[in-house]
mmCIF file of all heavy atoms in Angstrom:
data_model
loop_
_atom_site.group_PDB
_atom_site.id
_atom_site.type_symbol
_atom_site.label_atom_id
_atom_site.label_comp_id
_atom_site.label_asym_id
_atom_site.label_seq_id
_atom_site.Cartn_x
_atom_site.Cartn_y
_atom_site.Cartn_z
ATOM 1 N N VAL A 21 32.495 15.366 50.908
ATOM 2 C CA VAL A 21 32.883 14.190 50.121
ATOM 3 C C VAL A 21 31.816 13.833 49.092
ATOM 4 O O VAL A 21 32.130 13.356 48.011
ATOM 5 C CB VAL A 21 33.174 12.959 51.016
ATOM 6 C CG1 VAL A 21 34.381 13.204 51.896
ATOM 7 C CG2 VAL A 21 31.968 12.593 51.862
ATOM 8 N N THR A 24 32.301 16.042 45.872
ATOM 9 C CA THR A 24 33.598 16.098 45.196
ATOM 10 C C THR A 24 33.426 16.034 43.682
ATOM 11 O O THR A 24 34.062 16.781 42.942
ATOM 12 C CB THR A 24 34.482 14.924 45.656
ATOM 13 O OG1 THR A 24 34.464 14.880 47.084
ATOM 14 C CG2 THR A 24 35.908 15.110 45.186
ATOM 15 N N HIS A 25 32.571 15.137 43.235
ATOM 16 C CA HIS A 25 32.413 14.940 41.782
ATOM 17 C C HIS A 25 31.937 16.208 41.078
ATOM 18 O O HIS A 25 32.611 16.707 40.169
ATOM 19 C CB HIS A 25 31.487 13.748 41.525
ATOM 20 C CG HIS A 25 31.480 13.279 40.107
ATOM 21 N ND1 HIS A 25 30.613 13.784 39.165
ATOM 22 C CD2 HIS A 25 32.244 12.383 39.460
ATOM 23 C CE1 HIS A 25 30.845 13.190 38.003
ATOM 24 N NE2 HIS A 25 31.822 12.336 38.151
ATOM 25 N N ILE A 28 34.676 19.210 41.462
ATOM 26 C CA ILE A 28 35.874 19.070 40.623
ATOM 27 C C ILE A 28 35.535 19.383 39.171
ATOM 28 O O ILE A 28 36.307 20.024 38.462
ATOM 29 C CB ILE A 28 36.488 17.659 40.794
ATOM 30 C CG1 ILE A 28 37.249 17.630 42.124
ATOM 31 C CG2 ILE A 28 37.408 17.293 39.625
ATOM 32 C CD1 ILE A 28 37.921 16.322 42.442
ATOM 33 N N LYS A 29 34.372 18.969 38.743
ATOM 34 C CA LYS A 29 33.931 19.318 37.383
ATOM 35 C C LYS A 29 33.851 20.828 37.216
ATOM 36 O O LYS A 29 34.344 21.387 36.229
ATOM 37 C CB LYS A 29 32.575 18.669 37.131
ATOM 38 C CG LYS A 29 31.990 18.893 35.754
ATOM 39 C CD LYS A 29 30.717 18.064 35.624
ATOM 40 C CE LYS A 29 29.982 18.324 34.338
ATOM 41 N NZ LYS A 29 28.764 17.483 34.263
ATOM 42 N N PHE A 32 37.628 22.345 37.442
ATOM 43 C CA PHE A 32 38.697 21.995 36.502
ATOM 44 C C PHE A 32 38.240 21.702 35.080
ATOM 45 O O PHE A 32 39.043 21.759 34.174
ATOM 46 C CB PHE A 32 39.455 20.760 37.013
ATOM 47 C CG PHE A 32 40.189 20.999 38.291
ATOM 48 C CD1 PHE A 32 39.734 20.472 39.480
ATOM 49 C CD2 PHE A 32 41.340 21.776 38.299
ATOM 50 C CE1 PHE A 32 40.406 20.698 40.667
ATOM 51 C CE2 PHE A 32 42.023 22.010 39.476
ATOM 52 C CZ PHE A 32 41.561 21.475 40.670
ATOM 53 N N LEU A 33 36.973 21.348 34.890
ATOM 54 C CA LEU A 33 36.592 20.848 33.567
ATOM 55 C C LEU A 33 35.633 21.817 32.881
ATOM 56 O O LEU A 33 34.442 21.562 32.748
ATOM 57 C CB LEU A 33 35.978 19.445 33.711
ATOM 58 C CG LEU A 33 36.874 18.436 34.454
ATOM 59 C CD1 LEU A 33 36.166 17.093 34.596
ATOM 60 C CD2 LEU A 33 38.218 18.258 33.771
ATOM 61 N N ASN A 35 35.198 22.567 29.909
ATOM 62 C CA ASN A 35 34.532 22.088 28.693
ATOM 63 C C ASN A 35 33.287 21.264 28.990
ATOM 64 O O ASN A 35 32.497 20.987 28.098
ATOM 65 C CB ASN A 35 35.488 21.210 27.882
ATOM 66 C CG ASN A 35 36.580 22.033 27.246
ATOM 67 O OD1 ASN A 35 36.503 23.264 27.242
ATOM 68 N ND2 ASN A 35 37.582 21.369 26.716
ATOM 69 N N ARG A 36 33.143 20.840 30.216
ATOM 70 C CA ARG A 36 32.039 19.938 30.555
ATOM 71 C C ARG A 36 30.851 20.661 31.190
ATOM 72 O O ARG A 36 29.880 20.030 31.583
ATOM 73 C CB ARG A 36 32.522 18.864 31.524
ATOM 74 C CG ARG A 36 33.543 17.935 30.911
ATOM 75 C CD ARG A 36 33.228 16.504 31.228
ATOM 76 N NE ARG A 36 34.128 15.592 30.550
ATOM 77 C CZ ARG A 36 33.784 14.852 29.508
ATOM 78 N NH1 ARG A 36 32.558 14.912 29.030
ATOM 79 N NH2 ARG A 36 34.651 14.045 28.950
ATOM 80 N N THR A 37 30.960 21.975 31.351
ATOM 81 C CA THR A 37 29.880 22.691 32.022
ATOM 82 C C THR A 37 29.673 24.055 31.380
ATOM 83 O O THR A 37 30.605 24.628 30.815
ATOM 84 C CB THR A 37 30.180 22.848 33.526
ATOM 85 O OG1 THR A 37 29.286 23.823 34.077
ATOM 86 C CG2 THR A 37 31.606 23.316 33.768
ATOM 87 N N ARG A 38 28.458 24.556 31.468
ATOM 88 C CA ARG A 38 28.170 25.901 30.967
ATOM 89 C C ARG A 38 28.236 26.929 32.091
ATOM 90 O O ARG A 38 27.916 28.087 31.892
ATOM 91 C CB ARG A 38 26.776 25.936 30.332
ATOM 92 C CG ARG A 38 26.675 25.138 29.043
ATOM 93 C CD ARG A 38 25.517 25.635 28.170
ATOM 94 N NE ARG A 38 25.460 24.898 26.917
ATOM 95 C CZ ARG A 38 24.688 23.825 26.712
ATOM 96 N NH1 ARG A 38 23.920 23.372 27.673
ATOM 97 N NH2 ARG A 38 24.697 23.208 25.547
ATOM 98 N N PRO A 198 45.598 23.219 35.372
ATOM 99 C CA PRO A 198 45.911 21.794 35.525
ATOM 100 C C PRO A 198 47.204 21.534 36.301
ATOM 101 O O PRO A 198 47.314 20.521 36.995
ATOM 102 C CB PRO A 198 46.038 21.309 34.069
ATOM 103 C CG PRO A 198 45.176 22.232 33.297
ATOM 104 C CD PRO A 198 45.310 23.577 33.966
ATOM 105 N N ALA A 201 46.446 21.260 39.885
ATOM 106 C CA ALA A 201 45.205 20.535 40.179
ATOM 107 C C ALA A 201 45.332 19.628 41.405
ATOM 108 O O ALA A 201 44.486 19.669 42.302
ATOM 109 C CB ALA A 201 44.774 19.722 38.958
ATOM 110 N N THR A 202 46.378 18.813 41.451
ATOM 111 C CA THR A 202 46.445 17.866 42.575
ATOM 112 C C THR A 202 46.635 18.599 43.898
ATOM 113 O O THR A 202 46.044 18.222 44.911
ATOM 114 C CB THR A 202 47.562 16.816 42.374
ATOM 115 O OG1 THR A 202 48.771 17.483 42.038
ATOM 116 C CG2 THR A 202 47.201 15.846 41.280
ATOM 117 N N ILE A 205 43.240 20.208 44.745
ATOM 118 C CA ILE A 205 42.308 19.165 45.186
ATOM 119 C C ILE A 205 42.649 18.723 46.602
ATOM 120 O O ILE A 205 41.769 18.551 47.454
ATOM 121 C CB ILE A 205 42.351 17.972 44.196
ATOM 122 C CG1 ILE A 205 41.656 18.351 42.891
ATOM 123 C CG2 ILE A 205 41.712 16.729 44.804
ATOM 124 C CD1 ILE A 205 41.807 17.312 41.782
ATOM 125 N N ASP A 206 43.929 18.550 46.857
ATOM 126 C CA ASP A 206 44.372 18.134 48.192
ATOM 127 C C ASP A 206 43.934 19.157 49.237
ATOM 128 O O ASP A 206 43.329 18.813 50.259
ATOM 129 C CB ASP A 206 45.899 17.978 48.175
ATOM 130 C CG ASP A 206 46.420 17.202 49.377
ATOM 131 O OD1 ASP A 206 45.624 16.868 50.272
ATOM 132 O OD2 ASP A 206 47.632 16.944 49.424
ATOM 133 N N PHE A 209 39.827 19.371 49.303
ATOM 134 C CA PHE A 209 38.977 18.225 49.618
ATOM 135 C C PHE A 209 39.559 17.281 50.663
ATOM 136 O O PHE A 209 38.855 16.415 51.174
ATOM 137 C CB PHE A 209 38.668 17.433 48.342
ATOM 138 C CG PHE A 209 37.872 18.209 47.341
ATOM 139 C CD1 PHE A 209 38.478 18.790 46.243
ATOM 140 C CD2 PHE A 209 36.511 18.375 47.520
ATOM 141 C CE1 PHE A 209 37.743 19.522 45.327
ATOM 142 C CE2 PHE A 209 35.768 19.100 46.604
ATOM 143 C CZ PHE A 209 36.383 19.682 45.507
ATOM 144 N N TYR A 210 40.849 17.404 50.968
ATOM 145 C CA TYR A 210 41.477 16.417 51.845
ATOM 146 C C TYR A 210 42.220 17.027 53.019
ATOM 147 O O TYR A 210 42.836 16.309 53.792
ATOM 148 C CB TYR A 210 42.431 15.527 51.031
ATOM 149 C CG TYR A 210 41.716 14.785 49.930
ATOM 150 C CD1 TYR A 210 41.582 15.347 48.660
ATOM 151 C CD2 TYR A 210 41.122 13.550 50.161
ATOM 152 C CE1 TYR A 210 40.890 14.689 47.653
ATOM 153 C CE2 TYR A 210 40.434 12.885 49.163
ATOM 154 C CZ TYR A 210 40.315 13.460 47.902
ATOM 155 O OH TYR A 210 39.636 12.814 46.923
ATOM 156 N N SER A 213 41.388 15.515 56.310
ATOM 157 C CA SER A 213 41.404 14.060 56.472
ATOM 158 C C SER A 213 42.762 13.600 56.975
ATOM 159 O O SER A 213 43.737 14.339 56.980
ATOM 160 C CB SER A 213 41.055 13.376 55.151
ATOM 161 O OG SER A 213 42.081 13.575 54.205
ATOM 162 N N PHE A 214 42.788 12.358 57.368
ATOM 163 C CA PHE A 214 43.988 11.755 57.937
ATOM 164 C C PHE A 214 45.116 11.675 56.914
ATOM 165 O O PHE A 214 44.920 11.298 55.778
ATOM 166 C CB PHE A 214 43.633 10.346 58.411
ATOM 167 C CG PHE A 214 44.826 9.530 58.796
ATOM 168 C CD1 PHE A 214 45.512 9.800 59.956
ATOM 169 C CD2 PHE A 214 45.262 8.503 57.969
ATOM 170 C CE1 PHE A 214 46.615 9.039 60.310
ATOM 171 C CE2 PHE A 214 46.367 7.741 58.322
ATOM 172 C CZ PHE A 214 47.045 8.004 59.485
ATOM 173 N N SER A 215 46.300 12.051 57.333
ATOM 174 C CA SER A 215 47.445 11.959 56.457
ATOM 175 C C SER A 215 48.565 11.264 57.220
ATOM 176 O O SER A 215 49.083 11.804 58.189
ATOM 177 C CB SER A 215 47.864 13.365 56.052
ATOM 178 O OG SER A 215 49.133 13.342 55.476
ATOM 179 N N PRO A 216 48.965 10.039 56.816
ATOM 180 C CA PRO A 216 49.923 9.273 57.621
ATOM 181 C C PRO A 216 51.246 10.002 57.838
ATOM 182 O O PRO A 216 51.860 9.871 58.878
ATOM 183 C CB PRO A 216 50.137 7.992 56.806
ATOM 184 C CG PRO A 216 49.403 8.149 55.537
ATOM 185 C CD PRO A 216 48.499 9.316 55.639
ATOM 186 N N LYS A 217 51.668 10.794 56.827
ATOM 187 C CA LYS A 217 52.980 11.444 56.949
ATOM 188 C C LYS A 217 52.923 12.714 57.782
ATOM 189 O O LYS A 217 53.930 13.341 58.038
ATOM 190 C CB LYS A 217 53.532 11.766 55.558
ATOM 191 C CG LYS A 217 53.858 10.507 54.775
ATOM 192 C CD LYS A 217 54.793 10.771 53.634
ATOM 193 C CE LYS A 217 55.049 9.467 52.871
ATOM 194 N NZ LYS A 217 55.638 9.693 51.569
ATOM 195 N N ARG A 254 52.268 25.435 49.864
ATOM 196 C CA ARG A 254 52.097 24.133 49.213
ATOM 197 C C ARG A 254 52.024 24.255 47.696
ATOM 198 O O ARG A 254 52.129 23.263 46.982
ATOM 199 C CB ARG A 254 50.835 23.458 49.758
ATOM 200 C CG ARG A 254 50.914 23.298 51.276
ATOM 201 C CD ARG A 254 49.714 22.628 51.841
ATOM 202 N NE ARG A 254 49.506 21.327 51.204
ATOM 203 C CZ ARG A 254 48.477 20.547 51.453
ATOM 204 N NH1 ARG A 254 47.567 20.939 52.327
ATOM 205 N NH2 ARG A 254 48.341 19.397 50.851
ATOM 206 N N VAL B 21 30.100 8.347 40.965
ATOM 207 C CA VAL B 21 30.149 9.709 41.523
ATOM 208 C C VAL B 21 30.300 9.683 43.040
ATOM 209 O O VAL B 21 30.933 10.556 43.621
ATOM 210 C CB VAL B 21 28.897 10.543 41.138
ATOM 211 C CG1 VAL B 21 28.851 10.772 39.639
ATOM 212 C CG2 VAL B 21 27.620 9.889 41.610
ATOM 213 N N THR B 24 34.101 9.241 43.969
ATOM 214 C CA THR B 24 35.112 10.147 43.410
ATOM 215 C C THR B 24 36.118 10.556 44.481
ATOM 216 O O THR B 24 37.318 10.579 44.233
ATOM 217 C CB THR B 24 34.429 11.407 42.841
ATOM 218 O OG1 THR B 24 33.350 11.006 42.007
ATOM 219 C CG2 THR B 24 35.405 12.213 42.018
ATOM 220 N N HIS B 25 35.615 10.889 45.662
ATOM 221 C CA HIS B 25 36.505 11.391 46.721
ATOM 222 C C HIS B 25 37.571 10.360 47.109
ATOM 223 O O HIS B 25 38.770 10.639 47.005
ATOM 224 C CB HIS B 25 35.675 11.840 47.924
ATOM 225 C CG HIS B 25 36.443 12.628 48.922
ATOM 226 N ND1 HIS B 25 37.091 12.043 49.991
ATOM 227 C CD2 HIS B 25 36.708 13.954 49.030
ATOM 228 C CE1 HIS B 25 37.698 12.974 50.706
ATOM 229 N NE2 HIS B 25 37.480 14.143 50.151
ATOM 230 N N ILE B 28 40.023 9.511 43.954
ATOM 231 C CA ILE B 28 41.009 10.552 43.622
ATOM 232 C C ILE B 28 42.125 10.559 44.664
ATOM 233 O O ILE B 28 43.294 10.727 44.334
ATOM 234 C CB ILE B 28 40.312 11.920 43.498
ATOM 235 C CG1 ILE B 28 39.601 11.985 42.138
ATOM 236 C CG2 ILE B 28 41.304 13.074 43.633
ATOM 237 C CD1 ILE B 28 38.887 13.269 41.854
ATOM 238 N N LYS B 29 41.776 10.340 45.907
ATOM 239 C CA LYS B 29 42.800 10.242 46.944
ATOM 240 C C LYS B 29 43.764 9.084 46.646
ATOM 241 O O LYS B 29 44.982 9.242 46.706
ATOM 242 C CB LYS B 29 42.111 10.036 48.295
ATOM 243 C CG LYS B 29 43.026 9.952 49.483
ATOM 244 C CD LYS B 29 42.182 9.889 50.746
ATOM 245 C CE LYS B 29 42.997 9.670 51.995
ATOM 246 N NZ LYS B 29 42.127 9.626 53.184
ATOM 247 N N PHE B 32 45.856 10.005 43.281
ATOM 248 C CA PHE B 32 46.742 11.161 43.177
ATOM 249 C C PHE B 32 47.455 11.558 44.468
ATOM 250 O O PHE B 32 48.447 12.270 44.411
ATOM 251 C CB PHE B 32 45.952 12.383 42.678
ATOM 252 C CG PHE B 32 45.429 12.231 41.291
ATOM 253 C CD1 PHE B 32 44.083 12.021 41.059
ATOM 254 C CD2 PHE B 32 46.291 12.272 40.210
ATOM 255 C CE1 PHE B 32 43.595 11.874 39.773
ATOM 256 C CE2 PHE B 32 45.820 12.132 38.917
ATOM 257 C CZ PHE B 32 44.466 11.929 38.698
ATOM 258 N N LEU B 33 46.923 11.174 45.610
ATOM 259 C CA LEU B 33 47.458 11.741 46.846
ATOM 260 C C LEU B 33 48.160 10.659 47.665
ATOM 261 O O LEU B 33 47.679 10.232 48.712
ATOM 262 C CB LEU B 33 46.330 12.417 47.637
ATOM 263 C CG LEU B 33 45.538 13.462 46.840
ATOM 264 C CD1 LEU B 33 44.413 14.047 47.685
ATOM 265 C CD2 LEU B 33 46.441 14.580 46.326
ATOM 266 N N ASN B 35 50.599 10.746 49.582
ATOM 267 C CA ASN B 35 50.962 11.112 50.950
ATOM 268 C C ASN B 35 49.816 10.941 51.932
ATOM 269 O O ASN B 35 50.017 10.984 53.132
ATOM 270 C CB ASN B 35 51.411 12.580 51.011
ATOM 271 C CG ASN B 35 52.745 12.767 50.345
ATOM 272 O OD1 ASN B 35 53.410 11.786 50.034
ATOM 273 N ND2 ASN B 35 53.112 14.015 50.127
ATOM 274 N N ARG B 36 48.613 10.802 51.419
ATOM 275 C CA ARG B 36 47.448 10.755 52.295
ATOM 276 C C ARG B 36 46.964 9.340 52.554
ATOM 277 O O ARG B 36 45.949 9.145 53.207
ATOM 278 C CB ARG B 36 46.301 11.573 51.696
ATOM 279 C CG ARG B 36 46.601 13.048 51.578
ATOM 280 C CD ARG B 36 45.433 13.864 52.068
ATOM 281 N NE ARG B 36 45.755 15.278 52.089
ATOM 282 C CZ ARG B 36 45.962 15.962 53.209
ATOM 283 N NH1 ARG B 36 45.894 15.379 54.373
ATOM 284 N NH2 ARG B 36 46.245 17.255 53.144
ATOM 285 N N ARG B 38 48.071 4.919 52.936
ATOM 286 C CA ARG B 38 49.098 3.877 53.043
ATOM 287 C C ARG B 38 48.871 2.787 51.998
ATOM 288 O O ARG B 38 49.564 1.778 52.001
ATOM 289 C CB ARG B 38 49.072 3.265 54.446
ATOM 290 C CG ARG B 38 49.532 4.212 55.542
ATOM 291 C CD ARG B 38 49.991 3.429 56.784
ATOM 292 N NE ARG B 38 50.469 4.350 57.811
ATOM 293 C CZ ARG B 38 49.730 4.804 58.814
ATOM 294 N NH1 ARG B 38 48.479 4.418 58.925
ATOM 295 N NH2 ARG B 38 50.244 5.630 59.705
ATOM 296 N N PRO B 198 50.852 14.484 38.426
ATOM 297 C CA PRO B 198 50.042 15.709 38.541
ATOM 298 C C PRO B 198 49.810 16.405 37.203
ATOM 299 O O PRO B 198 48.764 17.023 36.998
ATOM 300 C CB PRO B 198 50.873 16.591 39.484
ATOM 301 C CG PRO B 198 51.650 15.621 40.307
ATOM 302 C CD PRO B 198 51.980 14.472 39.391
ATOM 303 N N ALA B 201 46.745 15.113 35.662
ATOM 304 C CA ALA B 201 45.653 14.875 36.616
ATOM 305 C C ALA B 201 44.296 15.264 36.050
ATOM 306 O O ALA B 201 43.342 14.474 36.100
ATOM 307 C CB ALA B 201 45.930 15.614 37.922
ATOM 308 N N THR B 202 44.183 16.469 35.502
ATOM 309 C CA THR B 202 42.847 16.892 35.062
ATOM 310 C C THR B 202 42.359 16.030 33.891
ATOM 311 O O THR B 202 41.178 15.681 33.828
ATOM 312 C CB THR B 202 42.807 18.381 34.681
ATOM 313 O OG1 THR B 202 43.890 18.679 33.814
ATOM 314 C CG2 THR B 202 42.923 19.255 35.917
ATOM 315 N N ILE B 205 41.384 12.623 35.364
ATOM 316 C CA ILE B 205 40.126 12.759 36.107
ATOM 317 C C ILE B 205 38.954 12.867 35.124
ATOM 318 O O ILE B 205 37.908 12.243 35.299
ATOM 319 C CB ILE B 205 40.183 13.993 37.031
ATOM 320 C CG1 ILE B 205 41.100 13.706 38.224
ATOM 321 C CG2 ILE B 205 38.790 14.399 37.510
ATOM 322 C CD1 ILE B 205 41.372 14.914 39.106
ATOM 323 N N ASP B 206 39.153 13.644 34.084
ATOM 324 C CA ASP B 206 38.112 13.814 33.079
ATOM 325 C C ASP B 206 37.755 12.461 32.446
ATOM 326 O O ASP B 206 36.585 12.066 32.379
ATOM 327 C CB ASP B 206 38.608 14.806 32.013
ATOM 328 C CG ASP B 206 37.484 15.331 31.142
ATOM 329 O OD1 ASP B 206 36.336 14.862 31.270
ATOM 330 O OD2 ASP B 206 37.762 16.218 30.314
ATOM 331 N N PHE B 209 36.285 9.926 35.358
ATOM 332 C CA PHE B 209 35.090 10.233 36.129
ATOM 333 C C PHE B 209 34.007 10.968 35.347
ATOM 334 O O PHE B 209 32.889 11.086 35.822
ATOM 335 C CB PHE B 209 35.451 11.049 37.369
ATOM 336 C CG PHE B 209 36.332 10.311 38.334
ATOM 337 C CD1 PHE B 209 37.685 10.556 38.384
ATOM 338 C CD2 PHE B 209 35.791 9.344 39.161
ATOM 339 C CE1 PHE B 209 38.496 9.862 39.270
ATOM 340 C CE2 PHE B 209 36.593 8.644 40.048
ATOM 341 C CZ PHE B 209 37.962 8.900 40.104
ATOM 342 N N TYR B 210 34.347 11.512 34.201
ATOM 343 C CA TYR B 210 33.367 12.365 33.504
ATOM 344 C C TYR B 210 33.128 11.958 32.063
ATOM 345 O O TYR B 210 32.393 12.635 31.366
ATOM 346 C CB TYR B 210 33.825 13.828 33.569
ATOM 347 C CG TYR B 210 33.941 14.333 34.989
ATOM 348 C CD1 TYR B 210 35.131 14.224 35.691
ATOM 349 C CD2 TYR B 210 32.841 14.874 35.648
ATOM 350 C CE1 TYR B 210 35.236 14.644 37.011
ATOM 351 C CE2 TYR B 210 32.929 15.304 36.960
ATOM 352 C CZ TYR B 210 34.127 15.183 37.636
ATOM 353 O OH TYR B 210 34.221 15.587 38.930
ATOM 354 N N SER B 211 33.746 10.868 31.609
ATOM 355 C CA SER B 211 33.648 10.551 30.181
ATOM 356 C C SER B 211 32.234 10.166 29.785
ATOM 357 O O SER B 211 31.891 10.231 28.613
ATOM 358 C CB SER B 211 34.633 9.447 29.810
ATOM 359 O OG SER B 211 34.426 8.317 30.619
ATOM 360 N N SER B 213 29.552 11.662 31.145
ATOM 361 C CA SER B 213 28.619 12.732 31.497
ATOM 362 C C SER B 213 28.475 13.711 30.344
ATOM 363 O O SER B 213 29.245 13.707 29.392
ATOM 364 C CB SER B 213 29.075 13.451 32.756
ATOM 365 O OG SER B 213 30.260 14.173 32.515
ATOM 366 N N PHE B 214 27.490 14.551 30.480
ATOM 367 C CA PHE B 214 27.172 15.522 29.441
ATOM 368 C C PHE B 214 28.304 16.524 29.240
ATOM 369 O O PHE B 214 28.852 17.049 30.194
ATOM 370 C CB PHE B 214 25.908 16.274 29.854
ATOM 371 C CG PHE B 214 25.613 17.462 29.007
ATOM 372 C CD1 PHE B 214 25.149 17.304 27.714
ATOM 373 C CD2 PHE B 214 25.817 18.743 29.495
ATOM 374 C CE1 PHE B 214 24.873 18.408 26.921
ATOM 375 C CE2 PHE B 214 25.551 19.848 28.707
ATOM 376 C CZ PHE B 214 25.073 19.675 27.427
ATOM 377 N N SER B 215 28.646 16.772 28.018
ATOM 378 C CA SER B 215 29.666 17.754 27.708
ATOM 379 C C SER B 215 29.132 18.689 26.636
ATOM 380 O O SER B 215 28.908 18.276 25.511
ATOM 381 C CB SER B 215 30.915 17.032 27.205
ATOM 382 O OG SER B 215 31.798 17.934 26.614
ATOM 383 N N PRO B 216 28.877 19.957 26.964
ATOM 384 C CA PRO B 216 28.202 20.836 26.007
ATOM 385 C C PRO B 216 28.945 20.970 24.685
ATOM 386 O O PRO B 216 28.329 21.096 23.640
ATOM 387 C CB PRO B 216 28.132 22.183 26.734
ATOM 388 C CG PRO B 216 28.882 22.051 28.001
ATOM 389 C CD PRO B 216 29.164 20.612 28.247
ATOM 390 N N LYS B 217 30.292 20.923 24.738
ATOM 391 C CA LYS B 217 31.051 21.135 23.499
ATOM 392 C C LYS B 217 31.150 19.879 22.648
ATOM 393 O O LYS B 217 31.696 19.904 21.565
ATOM 394 C CB LYS B 217 32.456 21.637 23.836
ATOM 395 C CG LYS B 217 32.427 23.043 24.409
ATOM 396 C CD LYS B 217 33.773 23.709 24.373
ATOM 397 C CE LYS B 217 33.684 25.085 25.017
ATOM 398 N NZ LYS B 217 34.986 25.629 25.345
ATOM 399 N N ARG B 254 43.973 12.204 24.054
ATOM 400 C CA ARG B 254 43.646 13.291 24.981
ATOM 401 C C ARG B 254 44.802 13.608 25.927
ATOM 402 O O ARG B 254 44.788 14.642 26.583
ATOM 403 C CB ARG B 254 42.387 12.929 25.775
ATOM 404 C CG ARG B 254 41.214 12.638 24.832
ATOM 405 C CD ARG B 254 39.967 12.317 25.576
ATOM 406 N NE ARG B 254 39.611 13.387 26.480
ATOM 407 C CZ ARG B 254 38.605 13.336 27.332
ATOM 408 N NH1 ARG B 254 37.862 12.258 27.381
ATOM 409 N NH2 ARG B 254 38.348 14.346 28.130
#
Side-chain angles (χ1 to χ4, degrees):
Chain A
V21 295
T24 311
H25 192 271
I28 283 180
K29 182 174 174 179
F32 295 107
L33 305 178
N35 289 349
R36 294 226 175 254
T37 166
R38 292 203 178 95
T202 50
I205 287 172
D206 195 355
F209 296 101
Y210 300 90
S213 68
F214 170 72
S215 166
K217 293 199 181 164
R254 302 181 56 184
Chain B
V21 295
T24 311
H25 193 269
I28 282 181
K29 182 174 175 180
F32 295 107
L33 306 178
N35 289 349
R36 296 225 174 252
R38 292 202 178 96
T202 49
I205 287 173
D206 195 354
F209 297 101
Y210 299 90
S211 55
S213 68
F214 169 73
S215 166
K217 291 197 183 164
R254 303 181 57 185

